[in-house]
């Protein structure tokens, strides 16, 4: 029994020694593996943000003054009859584009034709009366010279001749009046333009200057009226002194001018309540794109600005301190510059201070970078 216990104890001791050896061997292998893995994996490199860049360029740009404006016709009239009568015909349809002299309406001419025929008949009668009075006076002159006609009878013949001349002149004037009234039965366009909506149906009894027939508006050329501020007036007058001031018209939603014209009028008084003055440009409108009452924008080209430093507008950022640009600094790091802005030209904006010619401004990934960060400038695309 004692031998069996001794043998059992020896077996347990040998098992414990074996487990401990295996444990120590595994720990050694684990340390060896960890050391080998650490030596094979290098530390990750810091990420550098790639950014698109653009050079600050110097160029000459046009300087404009922009204003809201409204379209006004040069001429706009109400069509009314000059003689009374029944409206016989509307020869031009509503909204038609008409030329100067085109017949627009006709009033029944029968009464005026009859008055003209009557006046001509009276002229013929007076002409015959005048011829008789003239020949009668000629005979009286011969008789008066020979003493066969007393002075009173001779004076009567002279008076009759003068009355016949006056009556003929009066009726000749009546003929001209009747001819005018007959011509007024046709209403002509006094200038080229566009008709509006008809306001008197055919058959209407129209009166003199009492019945409105239609309206006629001139569309080409046309006025664009706007109101510059008194602070801009000095620049505008300086531009006018140098020559004609070009004006561009932009319709709502447009970025490029659709029509161009010239500044033709500036009022003589500044409105003290608004601090503005009325100005007007004359614009060619051959395609009738501009219509009276329409609101547009106008740009006055007042001068050229040379050597302006231009950057893309997409490069601008904004903060509580104002507008800024991110510029590629030393060692390809981000340098923040506060800038003051000038006029724009297309997609570019002029920078009055903060950058120099040849600086590289960052135009993209602005939300992912900040001052002092390392960056990798991307190659610039060639200008188009």
């Amino acid at each position: 029994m004692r031998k069996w216990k001794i043998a059992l104890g020896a077996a347990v001791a040998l098992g414990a020694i074996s487990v401990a050896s295996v444990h120590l061997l595994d720990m050694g292998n684990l340390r060896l593996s960890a050391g080998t893995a650490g030596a094979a994996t290098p530390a990750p490199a810091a990420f550098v943000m790639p950014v698109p860049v653009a050079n600050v360029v110097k160029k000459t740009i046009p300087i404009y003054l922009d204003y809201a404006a409204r379209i006004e016709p040069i001429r706009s009239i109400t069509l009314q009859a000059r003689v009374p009568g029944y409206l016989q015909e509307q020869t031009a349809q509503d909204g038609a584009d008409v030329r100067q002299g085109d017949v627009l309406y006709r009033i029944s001419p029968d009464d005026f034709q009859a008055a003209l025929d009557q006046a001509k008949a009276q002229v013929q009668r007076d002409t015959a009366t005048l011829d008789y009075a003239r020949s009668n006076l000629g005979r009286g002159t011969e008789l008066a010279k020979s003493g066969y006609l007393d002075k009173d009878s001779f004076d009567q013949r002279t008076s009759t001749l003068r009355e016949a001349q006056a009556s003929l002149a009066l009726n000749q004037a009546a003929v001209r009046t009747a001819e005018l009234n007959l011509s007024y039965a046709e209403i002509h366009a006094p200038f080229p333009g566009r008709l509006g909506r008809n306001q008197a149906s055919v058959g209407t009894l129209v009166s003199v200057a009492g019945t409105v027939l239609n309206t006629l508006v001139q569309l080409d050329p046309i006025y664009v009226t706007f109101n510059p501020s008194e602070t801009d007036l000095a620049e505008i007058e300086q531009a006018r002194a140098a020559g004609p001031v070009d004006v561009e018209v932009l319709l709502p939603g447009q970025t490029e001018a659709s029509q161009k014209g010239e500044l033709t009028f500036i009022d003589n008084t500044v409105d003290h309540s608004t601090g503005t003055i009325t100005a007007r440009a004359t614009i060619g409108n051959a395609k009738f794109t501009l219509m009276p009452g329409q609101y547009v924008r106008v740009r006055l080209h007042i001068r050229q600005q040379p050597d302006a430093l231009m950057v893309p507008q997409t490069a601008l950022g904004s903060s509580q301190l104002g507008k800024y640009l991110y510029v590629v600094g030393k060692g390809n790091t981000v340098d923040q510059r506060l800038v003051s802005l000038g006029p724009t030209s297309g997609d570019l904006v002029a920078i009055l201070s903060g950058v120099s010619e040849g600086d590289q401004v960052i135009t993209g990934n602005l939300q992912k970078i900040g001052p002092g960060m390392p960056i990798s400038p991307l190659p610039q695309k060639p200008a188009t």
Side-chain angles (χ1 to χ4, degrees):
M1 184 66 180
R2 187 164 178 256
K3 292 181 179 180
W4 178 83
K5 289 183 179 179
I6 294 173
L8 180 62
V12 171
L14 289 174
I17 294 171
S18 298
V19 170
S21 300
V22 170
H23 178 70
L24 290 175
L25 181 60
D26 289 343
M27 290 299 294
N29 291 335
L30 182 62
R31 285 194 295 267
L32 181 61
S33 299
T36 305
T41 305
F47 176 73
V48 178
M49 176 65 68
V51 292
V53 296
N55 287 332
V56 177
V57 296
K58 184 180 291 186
K59 61 183 295 188
T60 299
I61 60 172
I63 301 300
Y64 295 98
L65 296 177
D66 290 3
Y67 303 101
R70 60 193 176 277
I71 306 299
E72 295 180 350
I74 293 179
R75 289 183 286 185
S76 177
I77 63 169
T78 299
L79 296 175
Q80 293 178 294
R82 299 185 65 175
V83 292
Y86 286 97
L87 190 61
Q88 185 181 64
E89 183 183 6
Q90 178 187 352
T91 58
Q93 298 301 315
D94 292 359
D97 295 319
V98 298
R99 296 170 298 180
Q100 183 174 355
D102 286 352
V103 178
L104 307 180
Y105 291 91
R106 285 193 177 94
I107 297 172
S108 178
D110 296 341
D111 294 341
F112 309 113
Q113 185 63 55
L116 177 60
D117 294 340
Q118 183 180 2
K120 288 181 177 180
Q122 289 175 346
V123 167
Q124 291 176 352
R125 183 194 62 187
D126 290 341
T127 300
T129 301
L130 178 61
D131 290 342
Y132 173 76
R134 187 177 287 115
S135 62
N136 195 26
L137 180 60
R139 288 191 300 271
T141 301
E142 297 297 328
L143 292 174
K145 288 180 180 179
S146 60
Y148 291 101
L149 184 66
D150 57 57
K151 188 176 185 309
D152 183 65
S153 298
F154 179 78
D155 290 342
Q156 287 181 356
R157 295 187 182 190
T158 303
S159 177
T160 301
L161 175 64
R162 291 176 179 175
E163 287 178 359
Q165 290 173 334
S167 179
L168 177 61
L170 180 63
N171 285 313
Q172 285 175 337
V175 169
R176 289 194 294 271
T177 300
E179 289 174 342
L180 285 175
N181 288 336
L182 181 59
S183 69
Y184 294 154
E186 288 187 346
I187 299 173
H188 297 260
F191 53 82
R194 177 173 293 179
L195 281 176
R197 179 174 56 87
N198 180 49
Q199 301 182 45
S201 301
V202 172
T204 301
L205 179 61
V206 298
S207 58
V208 178
T211 305
V212 176
L213 303 178
N214 210 320
T215 57
L216 180 65
V217 175
Q218 180 178 339
L219 297 180
D220 183 30
I222 204 165
Y223 285 147
V224 178
T225 302
F226 53 98
N227 300 96
S229 65
E230 58 184 330
T231 55
D232 293 340
L233 187 57
E235 282 190 282
I236 295 175
E237 290 293 357
Q238 184 177 0
R240 291 182 74 192
V245 177
D246 295 331
V247 178
E248 299 179 353
V249 179
L250 289 82
L251 296 174
Q254 287 185 339
T255 57
E256 296 294 333
S258 58
Q259 272 106 335
K260 297 182 180 181
E262 182 180 332
L263 180 66
T264 53
F265 169 77
I266 293 181
D267 207 352
N268 55 8
T269 304
V270 175
D271 188 340
H272 64 85
S273 62
T274 62
T276 61
I277 191 169
T278 300
R280 190 170 64 201
T282 303
I283 308 295
N285 191 32
K287 296 183 179 179
F288 302 153
T289 306
L290 305 177
M291 300 296 291
Q294 190 175 9
Y295 283 90
V296 296
R297 293 200 63 82
V298 295
R299 297 194 306 187
L300 274 66
H301 181 202
I302 57 172
R303 58 187 171 87
Q304 295 286 109
Q305 178 176 328
D307 299 331
L309 299 178
M310 309 298 293
V311 301
Q313 296 188 47
T314 54
L316 287 174
S318 183
S319 68
Q320 294 180 346
L321 299 178
K323 296 293 184 180
Y324 65 84
L325 291 171
Y326 284 144
V327 180
V328 179
K330 293 182 179 180
N332 285 345
T333 57
V334 178
D335 185 12
Q336 187 180 35
R337 307 272 186 89
L338 293 176
V339 295
S340 57
L341 306 182
T344 60
S345 177
D347 295 333
L348 303 179
V349 61
I351 304 299
L352 303 182
S353 64
V355 295
S356 303
E357 184 181 8
D359 283 345
Q360 286 187 321
V361 297
I362 301 171
T363 60
N365 292 333
L366 301 182
Q367 303 300 324
K368 301 178 181 179
I369 59 177
M373 285 184 56
I375 52 173
S376 175
L378 297 175
Q380 299 184 46
K381 296 180 179 180
T384 58

